[in-house]
Structure formats: C-alpha cells, structure tokens
Amino acid sequence: MSESPVLTHASDGVLVITINRPEAKNAVNRAVALGIAAAIDELEANSELRAGILTGAANTFCSGMDLKAFVSGEVPIVEGRGFAGLCEYRTAKPLIAAVEGFALAGGFELAISCDLIVAAEDSRFGIPEVKRGLVAGAGGLVKLPKQIPLRIAKELALTGDFISAARAYELSLINEVVAPGTALEAAQKLAARIAANGPLAVAASKEIVDKAQDWHSDEMFANQQVIAQPVFTSEDAIEGATAFAEKRAPQWKGR
C-alpha cells in the first residue's frame, strides 16, 4: 500500500478518502490532517464529484489523535478546518463515514462530522478522552448531544466507555449496520443513490438541513427560500421534471 497518509480514489462521481496509517490504527497526525483537508478541497472543487466517503485502511476507521505526535508537540489541526482538517468544517457536498473496527476519540469525532455513517456490526464508537486526562474537544462534547439524547452523550463523555454499532444504530447515530468488511461497499451504494440526484438540489438540501438547526422558527422558511429558490429556477429543475414526464433518466448539468 502507498505510504501516503491519505489516499483518494474517484469513481462514478464519488471520492473515497482513506486514512492510510494502519500501523498506527489510522491515528491522526499533522500529515493526515493536511491530507484530509486537501481531499475535501478536491471533493468540493471537482464538479464531477457528487459525494465523498471517508474511511480507514486495514479494517480500522480511526483511533483518534496520534498521542505520540501530540506529546512531541505536533498538532493535527488545520486552520479553519479544525482537528483532522474536517471537524470544524462543513462540506458543501455529502460526506459518508464508512466505519470498520474502531472509531474512537478523534476518530469518533471525525465520523460524527460526516453527514451519514455506515458501520460494520463489529465496529465500536466512543470518546475515551477522559481516560487519558483529555477532553473530546473536536466535536464530541458539542456535536454529539445534538445527534443522540443528552444523557447518553453525557454518559459517553464522562465514562469514556465504548458503544457497539448496534447501540449506535439504536440511538439513531448511524444510518446502516452491515456485515464486517462491507462498510465501504455499503457506503458506495449509498453514495451512488445520492450521486444520481440533481447536484444543485442535493447541495441546497444539505445546506438547508445543516443550517436549519440554528434557525429560529420565525425565520426558517425565509432562510430556506434564499437557498432553495435558485434550484427551482435552474436548468436542472426543468430537466428533472421533463425527464420524469418522458420516463427517462435525467441528464444533470449542475446549473
């Protein structure tokens, strides 16, 4: 396998981003953070790419921050992007986490920074930072309580205990639980379903869902209109309606 700490592969409109440090259980160092940020830039800039998948090499998603690098003074943060070049950044295009093995500490925070999560049934999730005298500062304490019940989020934060994929699915934290070794394949199928849709509509829908969490009820429809209206007046909107009437697959132009 290549020595690059982050690998990318594009196919059928989907960019697969792989953390490639299997010898360190895909722990995030500065090189990984920069690599993920660069891959996200590629995803955002390439109009042929409709969705991304974040995964890890050798059947492990990510064990979190590289503590050896941290002790030596290395910080795996990208300015404006946060931990691992992603945790404080909101992508314009959908990003799916394909989880095998462990998604722990910063690895868990990476997963919950993605829009959707597909996980192998033997995978494990957790923010064990308190066991190491640290805090889950890359989103575990601020994002997780918005994604699962508050008391469960507190339990994970204060005990540092792990939960199974089955428990994460029960909590509606992940979208799909699949057989071990098939998370990437399942994520690719999910990404293909997204990529088949109108790119303007997908981007606007994601932006609205993301931003609406912070909108007050008396402003939400006005804010939505600003984002949605350009989609309704686009060439893709006409093409989608025409293709439906003609019973054929639409040919999206992204405009």
Side-chain angles (χ1 to χ4, degrees), residues 50-94:
R50 305 293 178 79
I53 297 172
L54 179 63
T55 192
N59 294 315
T60 294
F61 182 71
C62 176
S63 60
M65 180 172 64
D66 187 326
L67 294 181
K68 292 181 180 178
F70 170 72
V71 170
S72 69
E74 185 176 297
V75 180
I77 292 174
V78 176
E79 185 175 357
R81 303 290 182 93
F83 174 76
L86 179 63
C87 288
E88 295 179 29
Y89 181 75
R90 180 180 289 166
T91 61
K93 296 179 183 178

Side-chain angles (χ1 to χ4, degrees), residues 202-214:
V202 168
S205 296
K206 172 175 155 47
E207 183 180 0
I208 291 167
V209 171
D210 285 342
K211 291 183 175 179
Q213 309 310 306
D214 299 318

Side-chain angles (χ1 to χ4, degrees), residues 41-234:
D41 285 344
E42 179 184 351
L43 172 65
E44 304 284 48
N46 189 338
S47 62
E48 298 299 314
L49 296 174
R50 305 293 178 79
I53 297 172
L54 179 63
T55 192
N59 294 315
T60 294
F61 182 71
C62 176
S63 60
M65 180 172 64
D66 187 326
L67 294 181
K68 292 181 180 178
F70 170 72
V71 170
S72 69
E74 185 176 297
V75 180
I77 292 174
V78 176
E79 185 175 357
R81 303 290 182 93
F83 174 76
L86 179 63
C87 288
E88 295 179 29
Y89 181 75
R90 180 180 289 166
T91 61
K93 296 179 183 178
L95 186 62
I96 304 169
V99 178
E100 297 278 356
F102 293 104
L104 302 178
F108 187 25
E109 292 166 312
L110 267 177
I112 64 173
S113 295
C114 295
D115 298 290
L116 307 172
I117 303 175
V118 175
E121 60 189 10
D122 60 351
S123 59
R124 295 291 182 269
F125 300 84
I127 40 176
E129 279 87 344
V130 290
K131 295 180 182 292
R132 302 164 189 164
L134 301 170
V135 297
L141 305 181
V142 295
K143 291 181 179 179
L144 193 58
K146 296 182 179 181
Q147 298 184 21
I148 64 175
L150 177 61
R151 286 186 175 81
I152 303 301
K154 284 184 177 181
E155 179 183 343
L156 294 179
L158 300 179
T159 66
D161 292 345
F162 302 168
I163 58 172
S164 67
R167 177 59 170 155
Y169 182 78
E170 181 182 75
L171 293 167
S172 300
L173 183 64
I174 62 180
N175 297 82
E176 187 177 0
V177 178
V178 298
T182 68
L184 178 56
E185 179 185 357
Q188 288 172 320
K189 291 179 179 178
L190 180 56
R193 288 159 52 197
I194 295 170
N197 297 325
L200 294 179
V202 168
S205 296
K206 172 175 155 47
E207 183 180 0
I208 291 167
V209 171
D210 285 342
K211 291 183 175 179
Q213 309 310 306
D214 299 318
W215 290 343
H216 192 275
S217 59
D218 62 6
E219 65 183 11
M220 60 185 182
F221 281 103
N223 289 345
Q224 174 179 263
Q225 181 69 5
V226 172
I227 299 169
Q229 185 57 35
V231 177
F232 283 100
T233 58
S234 69

Side-chain angles (χ1 to χ4, degrees), residues 234-246 248-252:
S234 69
E235 291 183 37
D236 275 0
I238 300 300
E239 168 62 11
T242 303
F244 177 79
E246 296 177 353
R248 61 173 174 80
Q251 300 297 312
W252 306 118

